[in-house]
Amino acid sequence: ASVAGELARTVTREIKLYLGGPSVFEREVSVQLLEEALSRGVSCRALCGSGASSSQEFGSLPTTYLGRGLELRRPEATGLPASRAQIFDGLAVLLFFPDPLAGSPSFQALLVRHPHMLALMNFTFESLWGDKRTKDIDAQGHTR
């Protein structure tokens, strides 16, 4: 949580989130990091996989912040992993994987700053974001 907080506080342009499973942080932590970044004009795009709910993740923030830099979409691609990723300005990616040994709700986190890995993660995110089957999520959490 401290690494994610540091990255969110130093980001200047954009945060890309892939929310593919249960939340890694308490809702208050997610809300605080997102709210602080959006208040500085940082855009945030989130792909909510089948294992994630935008309302469970952010509470009332979609209603408050849609149109102020927060965009939410749900990809229809099947077989996406139940993991999470946070990409900060295309300079760092924080990956969260369920810990197979500790069980739920334990996670392993990996911070990557390798340019080729970041290029791959950005390509994957943008491919899912731009897929014609990916649907926008409105303030009530419905796809359109």
Side-chain angles (χ1 to χ4, degrees):
S2 65
V3 172
E6 179 183 331
L7 290 167
R9 284 186 288 279
T10 59
V11 70
T12 59
R13 294 183 326 269
E14 164 178 72
I15 299 173
K16 298 175 186 175
L17 305 171
Y18 173 70
L19 311 172
S23 182
V24 177
F25 305 121
E26 297 291 326
R27 180 188 296 177
E28 295 76 25
V29 173
S30 296
V31 168
Q32 180 182 10
L33 295 176
L34 180 62
E35 191 167 357
E36 194 276 331
L38 290 173
S39 72
R40 291 185 291 112
V42 172
S43 72
C44 181
R45 294 186 291 158
L47 288 167
C48 296
S50 60
S53 160
S54 60
S55 60
Q56 289 174 338
E57 187 78 24
F58 302 120
S60 64
L61 277 185
T63 305
T64 306
Y65 288 107
L66 280 174
R68 290 184 51 202
L70 174 64
E71 296 177 72
L72 299 170
R73 289 191 178 173
R74 182 173 308 280
E76 287 190 19
T78 59
L80 294 172
S83 58
R84 290 178 166 247
Q86 301 174 344
I87 305 170
F88 300 90
D89 281 343
L91 301 173
V93 62
L94 192 55
L95 302 167
F96 300 92
F97 303 101
D99 188 332
L101 300 177
S104 182
S106 295
F107 291 87
Q108 295 176 343
L110 176 65
L111 175 63
V112 179
R113 294 183 189 267
H114 191 283
H116 297 282
M117 179 65 167
L118 284 159
L120 179 62
M121 294 300 297
N122 275 306
F123 176 80
T124 302
F125 183 93
E126 294 300 336
S127 294
L128 288 169
W129 187 266
D131 188 305
K132 65 182 178 183
R133 295 169 296 171
T134 296
K135 306 293 184 205
D136 288 329
I137 300 175
D138 64 19
Q140 289 74 41
H142 301 103
T143 56
R144 35 183 180 106

